Amino acid sequence: MDPKIDALVPSWLTLPDVAEELGVEVTRVRQLVKEGQLIAVRRGENRVLQVPALFLAEGKVVKGLTGTLTLLKDDGFTDEEMLEWLFTPDESLPGTPAQALRENRGTEVKRRAQALAV
């Protein structure tokens, strides 16, 4: 795990924690990760798969996250690069793209993600 990303992402959830938050089985969470609707990275001594806590709100995956991840993936971003982009503060937003998505400002985040492809 990249120490830079570890420093950027304020808190993490294990897959069982994500499953509990979403009210689904862990296998469903693994499927969401596999489908690219969530990003999970191996962290800590045990290399446990974890998801940034900011990706969830009110028992759901944050609105606009999946579409943003798809755009970034289409731009050729790796999971680590996507996390770095989502959690790096952007003065013009303000805040980070991940915070903007949580605050229902997904249109602006997606516009920026599309602009990266140009």
Side-chain angles (χ1 to χ4, degrees):
M1 178 69 211
D2 186 337
K4 187 156 124 192
I5 291 166
D6 237 9
L8 287 172
V9 180
S11 60
W12 297 85
L13 295 169
T14 63
L15 297 193
D17 291 340
V18 173
E20 192 174 313
E21 177 86 20
L22 297 177
V24 297
E25 297 292 323
V26 174
T27 50
R28 178 67 187 128
V29 176
R30 289 185 188 284
Q31 191 65 35
L32 291 171
V33 171
K34 195 171 152 198
E35 292 168 358
Q37 295 183 47
L38 280 174
I39 297 175
V41 291
R42 297 204 174 272
R43 298 183 63 250
E45 288 176 25
N46 300 336
R47 312 282 299 139
V48 177
L49 274 175
Q50 296 185 27
V51 173
L54 277 178
F55 286 178
L56 305 176
E58 295 166 19
K60 294 196 276 280
V61 173
V62 170
K63 185 176 165 223
L65 177 67
T66 302
T68 303
L69 294 178
T70 302
L71 285 168
L72 294 172
K73 198 175 267 327
D74 290 350
D75 290 347
F77 278 57
T78 65
D79 284 357
E80 280 80 12
E81 288 167 338
M82 287 191 261
L83 286 172
E84 189 174 330
W85 186 80
L86 283 163
F87 286 94
T88 297
D90 182 332
E91 293 302 315
S92 62
L93 259 175
T96 67
Q99 286 167 327
L101 285 172
R102 269 184 81 99
E103 293 162 8
N104 212 7
R105 295 185 286 142
T107 309
E108 184 58 27
V109 173
K110 283 195 194 125
R111 195 178 63 67
R112 286 160 195 256
Q114 283 170 322
L116 296 171
V118 178

